[in-house]
Amino acid sequence: MSRVKDLALQNVPVILLVVVFLAFAAVDPRFLSGDTITLILRQSAYVGILSVGMTLVLMTAGIDLAVGSLLYLTAVVVGQIVHTVAMPIFVVPILAVLIGAMFGAFNGFAVSVLKIIPFIVTLAMLTAFRGLGYGVSDSREVNYPDAITALGAQSVLGIPLPIAVFALVVLLAHVTVTRTPFGRQLLATGEDRQAAARAGVRVGRIQFAVYVISGALVGLASFIAVIQQFSGTVTPAAGKGIEFDAIAAAVLGGTSLFGGRGSVFPGTVVGTLLIQLVNTGLGFIRVDLYLTQMVQAGIILLAVLIDSIRTGRLEKLRRTVITSGRPDDDPPPKPAAPARTQESA
């Protein structure tokens, strides 16, 4: 019975995804259509890319609260450059990635070199990045050319471009975490920073790298959001609160807020789809906007609760294994036979 509970606890996101999907399908059969599923996947793309970066940061026991503001700032800066400098369309997403990585490097420097708590650094940057974006845009909308926004309707091998980009990011991140020394060092840093440093892991470099990667993925997500979600128009409210969806998606997928544990696939992918599934489903049944926000808040609370229960359960199992493996529990050795003396011989 205990194994069943542990298995269920480890697969809560998948169970929730299936249950929520079937519930909405029972209320509105249109939810089962291929168009609806494609819509959910398309709308999950840019949040999913953000969530992948957030997952890597959380694995190191860090956090990045500035991803929403950085998404807005990057979209504004790239939009201004596009209107000023003529460039091929393929350069635009590269430019967005580089700008995002640059600002991510600032967060990484503050965390890894200046030793400032990640929560404090990124909370400050949440306000600073958005304020900088307001300054660059004069708090006005930034419009992208139609040639760029038209990319949102393009496909790669029959797969919509936003979904294809999201899938590629997931594949690269999954391989990095599960198949490379960097992935192992990343998890070791989150599990026990001091022990990782004693084992030869350059903890500072790992921390710096994950914030740069997170920033780069924010830049890519901003481009996908512009061509998919924003329809080429970046408003001053763009990206507000999206950091909470990214955190919730990562935690719902099994990534610990305390670091040292997590997965990109299926974990973060399932968490992202679950959040978007709920948002789309509530829209289908025409739930009030304010209630939708309350449900989103409930999802975040559920994610934290699941993480707390999961962490406690795993800690309990770890203590059980350590206790059962103590030398005191081993049977005592048999006493050695007395040595024969020459006289007894």
Side-chain angles (χ1 to χ4, degrees):
M1 189 65 180
S2 178
R3 290 183 179 180
V4 174
K5 289 182 179 179
D6 291 338
L7 185 63
L9 191 60
Q10 292 173 3
N11 293 278
V12 165
V14 178
I15 296 172
L16 281 176
L17 183 67
V18 174
V19 169
V20 170
F21 180 79
L22 293 178
F24 281 123
V27 175
D28 190 337
R30 292 179 303 165
F31 216 70
L32 294 172
S33 68
D35 290 341
T36 301
I37 295 173
T38 302
L39 175 64
I40 293 172
L41 292 173
R42 290 175 72 102
Q43 293 182 340
S44 299
Y46 89 98
V47 178
I49 294 171
L50 286 177
S51 301
V52 169
M54 185 67 73
T55 299
L56 300 181
V57 172
L58 290 175
M59 284 180 180
T60 64
I63 196 167
D64 192 349
L65 297 175
V67 293
S69 296
L70 181 54
L71 183 144
Y72 167 68
L73 173 59
T74 304
V76 166
V77 172
V78 173
Q80 297 284 14
I81 294 175
V82 165
H83 282 292
T84 305
V85 180
M87 64 181 68
I89 293 179
F90 74 87
V91 175
V92 178
I94 297 174
L95 180 62
V97 168
L98 292 176
I99 291 174
M102 179 184 69
F103 286 108
F106 179 84
N107 287 339
F109 177 81
V111 171
S112 63
V113 178
L114 301 182
K115 307 298 182 184
I116 304 175
I117 299 172
F119 179 86
I120 301 299
V121 172
T122 57
L123 181 62
M125 292 304 104
L126 182 151
T127 303
F129 289 161
R130 189 160 294 274
L132 183 57
Y134 290 158
V136 173
S137 65
D138 291 329
S139 297
R140 298 176 181 175
E141 294 182 349
V142 176
N143 297 305
Y144 277 68
D146 293 339
I148 294 177
T149 57
L151 292 174
Q154 299 300 315
S155 298
V156 178
L157 300 177
I159 302 173
L161 180 62
I163 299 176
V165 173
F166 178 34
L168 179 60
V169 169
V170 168
L171 175 62
L172 294 176
H174 177 69
V175 171
T176 299
V177 171
T178 60
R179 295 287 187 270
T180 67
F182 177 80
R184 292 189 290 271
Q185 293 171 3
L186 185 149
L187 291 169
T189 299
E191 180 70 25
D192 189 330
R193 194 170 304 167
Q194 294 180 348
R198 288 196 296 269
V201 176
R202 296 184 176 181
V203 173
R205 290 191 177 185
I206 296 294
Q207 289 179 311
F208 180 80
V210 293
Y211 283 98
V212 173
I213 294 172
S214 177
L217 291 178
V218 170
L220 180 59
S222 73
F223 175 76
I224 297 299
V226 165
I227 66 174
Q228 169 65 37
Q229 199 75 12
F230 302 159
S231 299
T233 300
V234 183
T235 67
K240 273 191 175 180
I242 199 66
E243 58 272 4
F244 299 114
D245 283 349
I247 294 171
V251 176
L252 276 172
T255 301
S256 174
L257 286 169
F258 307 103
R261 189 176 70 254
S263 71
V264 173
F265 182 82
T268 300
V269 174
V270 172
T272 302
L273 292 176
L274 178 58
I275 291 175
Q276 190 56 51
L277 187 67
V278 171
N279 292 339
T280 304
L282 293 176
F284 258 72
I285 60 179
R286 298 181 181 179
V287 172
D288 187 88
L289 177 61
Y290 299 107
L291 182 58
T292 300
Q293 293 176 344
M294 292 175 63
V295 172
Q296 291 172 340
I299 291 175
I300 295 173
L301 288 175
L302 177 63
V304 175
L305 176 62
I306 291 173
D307 180 57
S308 178
I309 295 173
R310 185 165 45 214
T311 301
R313 184 71 177 174
L314 290 174
E315 189 63 29
K316 182 179 178 180
L317 288 174
R318 185 181 303 171
R319 288 198 299 267
T320 302
V321 171
I322 293 175
T323 302
S324 63
R326 288 187 307 179
D328 293 344
D329 296 335
D330 294 335
K334 294 182 179 180
R340 296 178 60 188
T341 62
Q342 191 171 2
E343 293 180 359
S344 61

Short mmCIF file of all heavy atoms in Angstrom, two decimals, residues 44-102:
data_model
loop_
_atom_site.label_atom_id
_atom_site.label_comp_id
_atom_site.label_asym_id
_atom_site.label_seq_id
_atom_site.Cartn_x
_atom_site.Cartn_y
_atom_site.Cartn_z
N SER A 44 0.57 26.97 -24.67
CA SER A 44 1.49 26.52 -23.63
C SER A 44 2.94 26.80 -23.98
O SER A 44 3.82 26.74 -23.11
CB SER A 44 1.33 25.01 -23.39
OG SER A 44 0.04 24.70 -22.95
N ALA A 45 3.22 27.09 -25.25
CA ALA A 45 4.59 27.13 -25.74
C ALA A 45 5.46 28.14 -25.00
O ALA A 45 6.51 27.79 -24.45
CB ALA A 45 4.61 27.40 -27.25
N TYR A 46 5.03 29.40 -24.98
CA TYR A 46 5.93 30.41 -24.40
C TYR A 46 6.03 30.28 -22.88
O TYR A 46 7.10 30.47 -22.29
CB TYR A 46 5.53 31.82 -24.84
CG TYR A 46 4.54 32.54 -23.98
CD1 TYR A 46 4.95 33.48 -23.03
CD2 TYR A 46 3.17 32.32 -24.12
CE1 TYR A 46 4.03 34.16 -22.26
CE2 TYR A 46 2.26 33.00 -23.36
CZ TYR A 46 2.69 33.92 -22.42
OH TYR A 46 1.78 34.60 -21.66
N VAL A 47 4.91 29.91 -22.22
CA VAL A 47 4.97 29.68 -20.77
C VAL A 47 5.83 28.45 -20.48
O VAL A 47 6.59 28.42 -19.50
CB VAL A 47 3.55 29.49 -20.19
CG1 VAL A 47 3.62 29.20 -18.69
CG2 VAL A 47 2.70 30.72 -20.44
N GLY A 48 5.72 27.44 -21.33
CA GLY A 48 6.53 26.24 -21.14
C GLY A 48 8.02 26.52 -21.26
O GLY A 48 8.83 25.98 -20.49
N ILE A 49 8.41 27.36 -22.20
CA ILE A 49 9.82 27.72 -22.36
C ILE A 49 10.31 28.46 -21.11
O ILE A 49 11.42 28.20 -20.61
CB ILE A 49 10.03 28.57 -23.62
CG1 ILE A 49 9.72 27.73 -24.87
CG2 ILE A 49 11.45 29.11 -23.70
CD1 ILE A 49 9.67 28.53 -26.15
N LEU A 50 9.50 29.38 -20.61
CA LEU A 50 9.84 30.06 -19.35
C LEU A 50 9.98 29.05 -18.22
O LEU A 50 10.90 29.15 -17.39
CB LEU A 50 8.75 31.07 -18.98
CG LEU A 50 8.64 32.38 -19.75
CD1 LEU A 50 7.44 33.16 -19.23
CD2 LEU A 50 9.90 33.20 -19.60
N SER A 51 9.07 28.08 -18.17
CA SER A 51 9.06 27.11 -17.08
C SER A 51 10.28 26.20 -17.11
O SER A 51 10.76 25.77 -16.06
CB SER A 51 7.78 26.27 -17.16
OG SER A 51 6.63 27.09 -17.07
N VAL A 52 10.79 25.90 -18.29
CA VAL A 52 12.01 25.10 -18.40
C VAL A 52 13.17 25.84 -17.74
O VAL A 52 13.94 25.27 -16.95
CB VAL A 52 12.32 24.77 -19.86
CG1 VAL A 52 13.72 24.15 -19.98
CG2 VAL A 52 11.29 23.81 -20.43
N GLY A 53 13.32 27.13 -18.06
CA GLY A 53 14.37 27.92 -17.42
C GLY A 53 14.18 28.00 -15.92
O GLY A 53 15.14 27.90 -15.15
N MET A 54 12.93 28.18 -15.49
CA MET A 54 12.64 28.24 -14.06
C MET A 54 12.98 26.92 -13.38
O MET A 54 13.48 26.90 -12.24
CB MET A 54 11.16 28.57 -13.84
CG MET A 54 10.77 28.77 -12.39
SD MET A 54 11.52 30.25 -11.66
CE MET A 54 10.54 31.53 -12.48
N THR A 55 12.73 25.82 -14.06
CA THR A 55 13.05 24.50 -13.50
C THR A 55 14.53 24.37 -13.21
O THR A 55 14.94 23.90 -12.13
CB THR A 55 12.62 23.39 -14.48
OG1 THR A 55 11.20 23.46 -14.68
CG2 THR A 55 12.98 22.01 -13.96
N LEU A 56 15.37 24.80 -14.14
CA LEU A 56 16.82 24.71 -13.94
C LEU A 56 17.26 25.57 -12.77
O LEU A 56 18.12 25.17 -11.98
CB LEU A 56 17.55 25.15 -15.22
CG LEU A 56 17.25 24.33 -16.48
CD1 LEU A 56 18.04 24.87 -17.66
CD2 LEU A 56 17.54 22.86 -16.26
N VAL A 57 16.67 26.75 -12.64
CA VAL A 57 17.01 27.64 -11.52
C VAL A 57 16.58 27.02 -10.19
O VAL A 57 17.34 27.01 -9.22
CB VAL A 57 16.37 29.03 -11.71
CG1 VAL A 57 16.57 29.88 -10.45
CG2 VAL A 57 16.96 29.73 -12.92
N LEU A 58 15.36 26.48 -10.14
CA LEU A 58 14.86 25.88 -8.91
C LEU A 58 15.68 24.65 -8.51
O LEU A 58 15.83 24.36 -7.32
CB LEU A 58 13.39 25.48 -9.08
CG LEU A 58 12.37 26.61 -9.17
CD1 LEU A 58 10.98 26.05 -9.45
CD2 LEU A 58 12.35 27.42 -7.88
N MET A 59 16.21 23.94 -9.48
CA MET A 59 17.03 22.76 -9.17
C MET A 59 18.26 23.13 -8.35
O MET A 59 18.80 22.30 -7.61
CB MET A 59 17.46 22.07 -10.46
CG MET A 59 16.38 21.25 -11.13
SD MET A 59 16.99 20.48 -12.65
CE MET A 59 15.53 19.60 -13.20
N THR A 60 18.73 24.36 -8.50
CA THR A 60 19.91 24.81 -7.74
C THR A 60 19.51 25.45 -6.42
O THR A 60 20.35 26.06 -5.77
CB THR A 60 20.73 25.82 -8.55
OG1 THR A 60 19.94 27.01 -8.77
CG2 THR A 60 21.16 25.25 -9.89
N ALA A 61 18.23 25.34 -6.04
CA ALA A 61 17.69 25.98 -4.83
C ALA A 61 17.62 27.49 -4.97
O ALA A 61 17.65 28.22 -3.98
CB ALA A 61 18.49 25.59 -3.59
N GLY A 62 17.55 27.97 -6.21
CA GLY A 62 17.36 29.40 -6.47
C GLY A 62 15.95 29.68 -6.90
O GLY A 62 15.07 28.82 -6.82
N ILE A 63 15.71 30.89 -7.34
CA ILE A 63 14.40 31.27 -7.87
C ILE A 63 14.59 32.51 -8.74
O ILE A 63 15.54 33.28 -8.53
CB ILE A 63 13.39 31.55 -6.74
CG1 ILE A 63 11.95 31.55 -7.27
CG2 ILE A 63 13.71 32.87 -6.04
CD1 ILE A 63 10.90 31.50 -6.18
N ASP A 64 13.72 32.67 -9.73
CA ASP A 64 13.81 33.83 -10.62
C ASP A 64 12.43 34.46 -10.75
O ASP A 64 11.60 34.01 -11.54
CB ASP A 64 14.33 33.40 -12.00
CG ASP A 64 14.71 34.60 -12.86
OD1 ASP A 64 14.37 35.73 -12.46
OD2 ASP A 64 15.34 34.42 -13.92
N LEU A 65 12.19 35.48 -9.96
CA LEU A 65 10.90 36.17 -9.96
C LEU A 65 10.80 37.23 -11.05
O LEU A 65 9.74 37.84 -11.22
CB LEU A 65 10.67 36.84 -8.60
CG LEU A 65 10.58 35.91 -7.39
CD1 LEU A 65 10.47 36.72 -6.11
CD2 LEU A 65 9.40 34.96 -7.52
N ALA A 66 11.89 37.44 -11.78
CA ALA A 66 11.93 38.55 -12.74
C ALA A 66 11.61 38.12 -14.16
O ALA A 66 11.69 38.94 -15.08
CB ALA A 66 13.30 39.21 -12.71
N VAL A 67 11.22 36.85 -14.38
CA VAL A 67 11.07 36.38 -15.76
C VAL A 67 9.95 37.12 -16.51
O VAL A 67 10.07 37.39 -17.71
CB VAL A 67 10.83 34.85 -15.80
CG1 VAL A 67 12.07 34.11 -15.33
CG2 VAL A 67 9.61 34.46 -14.99
N GLY A 68 8.86 37.46 -15.82
CA GLY A 68 7.77 38.17 -16.49
C GLY A 68 8.18 39.56 -16.92
O GLY A 68 7.91 39.98 -18.06
N SER A 69 8.86 40.27 -16.03
CA SER A 69 9.32 41.62 -16.37
C SER A 69 10.39 41.58 -17.44
O SER A 69 10.44 42.45 -18.32
CB SER A 69 9.86 42.31 -15.11
OG SER A 69 8.83 42.48 -14.16
N LEU A 70 11.28 40.59 -17.38
CA LEU A 70 12.33 40.47 -18.39
C LEU A 70 11.74 40.11 -19.75
O LEU A 70 12.23 40.59 -20.78
CB LEU A 70 13.36 39.42 -17.96
CG LEU A 70 14.54 39.21 -18.92
CD1 LEU A 70 15.24 40.53 -19.22
CD2 LEU A 70 15.52 38.20 -18.34
N LEU A 71 10.68 39.31 -19.76
CA LEU A 71 10.01 39.00 -21.01
C LEU A 71 9.48 40.28 -21.66
O LEU A 71 9.65 40.51 -22.86
CB LEU A 71 8.87 38.01 -20.76
CG LEU A 71 8.09 37.52 -22.00
CD1 LEU A 71 7.69 36.06 -21.83
CD2 LEU A 71 6.83 38.36 -22.23
N TYR A 72 8.86 41.13 -20.84
CA TYR A 72 8.34 42.41 -21.37
C TYR A 72 9.47 43.30 -21.85
O TYR A 72 9.42 43.85 -22.95
CB TYR A 72 7.53 43.11 -20.27
CG TYR A 72 7.21 44.55 -20.57
CD1 TYR A 72 6.33 44.90 -21.60
CD2 TYR A 72 7.80 45.59 -19.84
CE1 TYR A 72 6.04 46.23 -21.88
CE2 TYR A 72 7.51 46.91 -20.12
CZ TYR A 72 6.64 47.23 -21.14
OH TYR A 72 6.36 48.55 -21.42
N LEU A 73 10.51 43.43 -21.04
CA LEU A 73 11.63 44.29 -21.41
C LEU A 73 12.29 43.82 -22.70
O LEU A 73 12.59 44.64 -23.60
CB LEU A 73 12.66 44.31 -20.27
CG LEU A 73 13.98 45.04 -20.54
CD1 LEU A 73 13.73 46.50 -20.88
CD2 LEU A 73 14.92 44.91 -19.33
N THR A 74 12.52 42.53 -22.82
CA THR A 74 13.15 42.00 -24.03
C THR A 74 12.30 42.24 -25.27
O THR A 74 12.80 42.65 -26.33
CB THR A 74 13.41 40.48 -23.87
OG1 THR A 74 14.20 40.25 -22.70
CG2 THR A 74 14.13 39.93 -25.09
N ALA A 75 10.98 42.01 -25.13
CA ALA A 75 10.09 42.23 -26.26
C ALA A 75 10.09 43.70 -26.68
O ALA A 75 10.07 44.01 -27.88
CB ALA A 75 8.67 41.78 -25.90
N VAL A 76 10.15 44.60 -25.71
CA VAL A 76 10.16 46.04 -26.01
C VAL A 76 11.46 46.44 -26.69
O VAL A 76 11.45 47.13 -27.73
CB VAL A 76 9.96 46.85 -24.72
CG1 VAL A 76 10.32 48.33 -24.94
CG2 VAL A 76 8.52 46.75 -24.24
N VAL A 77 12.59 46.00 -26.14
CA VAL A 77 13.89 46.38 -26.70
C VAL A 77 14.05 45.83 -28.12
O VAL A 77 14.47 46.56 -29.04
CB VAL A 77 15.03 45.87 -25.79
CG1 VAL A 77 16.38 46.08 -26.47
CG2 VAL A 77 15.00 46.57 -24.45
N VAL A 78 13.70 44.57 -28.31
CA VAL A 78 13.82 43.98 -29.65
C VAL A 78 12.88 44.69 -30.62
O VAL A 78 13.25 44.97 -31.77
CB VAL A 78 13.51 42.47 -29.61
CG1 VAL A 78 13.45 41.89 -31.02
CG2 VAL A 78 14.57 41.74 -28.79
N GLY A 79 11.68 45.01 -30.18
CA GLY A 79 10.73 45.72 -31.03
C GLY A 79 11.25 47.08 -31.47
O GLY A 79 11.10 47.47 -32.64
N GLN A 80 11.90 47.79 -30.54
CA GLN A 80 12.47 49.09 -30.89
C GLN A 80 13.62 48.94 -31.87
O GLN A 80 13.76 49.74 -32.82
CB GLN A 80 12.96 49.80 -29.61
CG GLN A 80 11.88 50.12 -28.59
CD GLN A 80 11.03 51.31 -28.99
OE1 GLN A 80 11.05 51.75 -30.14
NE2 GLN A 80 10.25 51.83 -28.06
N ILE A 81 14.45 47.93 -31.68
CA ILE A 81 15.58 47.71 -32.58
C ILE A 81 15.09 47.33 -33.97
O ILE A 81 15.64 47.80 -34.99
CB ILE A 81 16.51 46.61 -32.01
CG1 ILE A 81 17.17 47.09 -30.72
CG2 ILE A 81 17.58 46.23 -33.05
CD1 ILE A 81 18.01 46.04 -30.03
N VAL A 82 14.07 46.50 -34.04
CA VAL A 82 13.54 46.06 -35.34
C VAL A 82 13.04 47.25 -36.15
O VAL A 82 13.19 47.29 -37.38
CB VAL A 82 12.41 45.03 -35.11
CG1 VAL A 82 11.60 44.83 -36.39
CG2 VAL A 82 12.98 43.69 -34.65
N HIS A 83 12.46 48.24 -35.48
CA HIS A 83 11.96 49.42 -36.19
C HIS A 83 13.08 50.39 -36.56
O HIS A 83 12.88 51.28 -37.39
CB HIS A 83 10.93 50.15 -35.31
CG HIS A 83 9.59 49.50 -35.29
ND1 HIS A 83 8.76 49.45 -36.39
CD2 HIS A 83 8.93 48.84 -34.31
CE1 HIS A 83 7.65 48.81 -36.08
NE2 HIS A 83 7.73 48.42 -34.82
N THR A 84 14.25 50.22 -35.94
CA THR A 84 15.35 51.15 -36.18
C THR A 84 16.37 50.59 -37.17
O THR A 84 16.91 51.33 -38.00
CB THR A 84 16.07 51.48 -34.86
OG1 THR A 84 15.11 51.97 -33.92
CG2 THR A 84 17.15 52.52 -35.07
N VAL A 85 16.64 49.30 -37.07
CA VAL A 85 17.69 48.66 -37.87
C VAL A 85 17.07 47.58 -38.75
O VAL A 85 16.34 46.72 -38.25
CB VAL A 85 18.78 48.05 -36.96
CG1 VAL A 85 19.87 47.41 -37.81
CG2 VAL A 85 19.35 49.09 -36.02
N ALA A 86 17.39 47.62 -40.01
CA ALA A 86 16.92 46.57 -40.93
C ALA A 86 17.74 45.30 -40.71
O ALA A 86 18.97 45.35 -40.65
CB ALA A 86 17.04 47.04 -42.38
N MET A 87 17.05 44.17 -40.58
CA MET A 87 17.74 42.90 -40.35
C MET A 87 16.89 41.75 -40.87
O MET A 87 15.67 41.86 -40.97
CB MET A 87 18.01 42.71 -38.84
CG MET A 87 16.75 42.60 -37.99
SD MET A 87 17.13 42.40 -36.23
CE MET A 87 17.82 44.01 -35.86
N PRO A 88 17.54 40.62 -41.22
CA PRO A 88 16.78 39.43 -41.63
C PRO A 88 15.90 38.95 -40.48
O PRO A 88 16.24 39.11 -39.30
CB PRO A 88 17.88 38.41 -41.97
CG PRO A 88 19.11 39.22 -42.20
CD PRO A 88 19.00 40.41 -41.31
N ILE A 89 14.79 38.32 -40.83
CA ILE A 89 13.84 37.88 -39.79
C ILE A 89 14.48 36.86 -38.85
O ILE A 89 14.22 36.88 -37.64
CB ILE A 89 12.58 37.29 -40.46
CG1 ILE A 89 11.82 38.40 -41.19
CG2 ILE A 89 11.68 36.63 -39.44
CD1 ILE A 89 10.58 37.92 -41.91
N PHE A 90 15.35 35.98 -39.37
CA PHE A 90 15.91 34.94 -38.51
C PHE A 90 16.83 35.52 -37.42
O PHE A 90 17.12 34.84 -36.42
CB PHE A 90 16.68 33.90 -39.36
CG PHE A 90 18.01 34.38 -39.87
CD1 PHE A 90 19.17 34.25 -39.11
CD2 PHE A 90 18.12 34.97 -41.13
CE1 PHE A 90 20.40 34.68 -39.59
CE2 PHE A 90 19.33 35.40 -41.61
CZ PHE A 90 20.48 35.26 -40.84
N VAL A 91 17.27 36.77 -37.60
CA VAL A 91 18.14 37.39 -36.59
C VAL A 91 17.33 37.84 -35.37
O VAL A 91 17.86 37.92 -34.27
CB VAL A 91 18.88 38.60 -37.21
CG1 VAL A 91 19.70 39.34 -36.17
CG2 VAL A 91 19.78 38.14 -38.36
N VAL A 92 16.04 38.08 -35.55
CA VAL A 92 15.21 38.63 -34.47
C VAL A 92 15.18 37.70 -33.25
O VAL A 92 15.43 38.16 -32.12
CB VAL A 92 13.79 38.94 -34.97
CG1 VAL A 92 12.92 39.46 -33.83
CG2 VAL A 92 13.84 39.96 -36.10
N PRO A 93 14.85 36.40 -33.39
CA PRO A 93 14.87 35.54 -32.19
C PRO A 93 16.26 35.40 -31.57
O PRO A 93 16.38 35.29 -30.34
CB PRO A 93 14.35 34.19 -32.71
CG PRO A 93 14.56 34.23 -34.19
CD PRO A 93 14.40 35.66 -34.57
N ILE A 94 17.30 35.42 -32.41
CA ILE A 94 18.67 35.35 -31.87
C ILE A 94 18.96 36.57 -31.02
O ILE A 94 19.55 36.48 -29.93
CB ILE A 94 19.69 35.21 -33.02
CG1 ILE A 94 19.46 33.91 -33.79
CG2 ILE A 94 21.12 35.27 -32.48
CD1 ILE A 94 20.33 33.76 -35.03
N LEU A 95 18.54 37.73 -31.52
CA LEU A 95 18.72 38.97 -30.78
C LEU A 95 17.98 38.92 -29.45
O LEU A 95 18.51 39.33 -28.41
CB LEU A 95 18.22 40.15 -31.61
CG LEU A 95 18.34 41.55 -31.00
CD1 LEU A 95 19.81 41.90 -30.75
CD2 LEU A 95 17.69 42.58 -31.91
N ALA A 96 16.76 38.40 -29.46
CA ALA A 96 15.98 38.28 -28.23
C ALA A 96 16.67 37.37 -27.22
O ALA A 96 16.73 37.68 -26.02
CB ALA A 96 14.58 37.75 -28.55
N VAL A 97 17.22 36.27 -27.69
CA VAL A 97 17.92 35.33 -26.80
C VAL A 97 19.15 36.00 -26.18
O VAL A 97 19.42 35.86 -24.97
CB VAL A 97 18.32 34.06 -27.57
CG1 VAL A 97 19.29 33.21 -26.75
CG2 VAL A 97 17.08 33.25 -27.93
N LEU A 98 19.91 36.74 -26.99
CA LEU A 98 21.12 37.39 -26.48
C LEU A 98 20.79 38.47 -25.45
O LEU A 98 21.48 38.60 -24.42
CB LEU A 98 21.90 38.00 -27.65
CG LEU A 98 22.52 37.00 -28.63
CD1 LEU A 98 23.19 37.73 -29.80
CD2 LEU A 98 23.53 36.10 -27.92
N ILE A 99 19.75 39.24 -25.71
CA ILE A 99 19.36 40.29 -24.75
C ILE A 99 18.89 39.66 -23.45
O ILE A 99 19.25 40.11 -22.35
CB ILE A 99 18.26 41.18 -25.37
CG1 ILE A 99 18.85 42.02 -26.51
CG2 ILE A 99 17.65 42.10 -24.31
CD1 ILE A 99 17.81 42.82 -27.26
N GLY A 100 18.08 38.61 -23.55
CA GLY A 100 17.63 37.92 -22.34
C GLY A 100 18.80 37.33 -21.56
O GLY A 100 18.84 37.42 -20.33
N ALA A 101 19.76 36.73 -22.26
CA ALA A 101 20.93 36.16 -21.59
C ALA A 101 21.76 37.23 -20.91
O ALA A 101 22.31 37.01 -19.82
CB ALA A 101 21.78 35.40 -22.61
N MET A 102 21.86 38.41 -21.52
CA MET A 102 22.63 39.50 -20.92
C MET A 102 22.04 39.92 -19.58
O MET A 102 22.76 40.06 -18.58
CB MET A 102 22.66 40.69 -21.88
CG MET A 102 23.42 41.90 -21.34
SD MET A 102 23.32 43.32 -22.46
CE MET A 102 21.57 43.76 -22.27
#
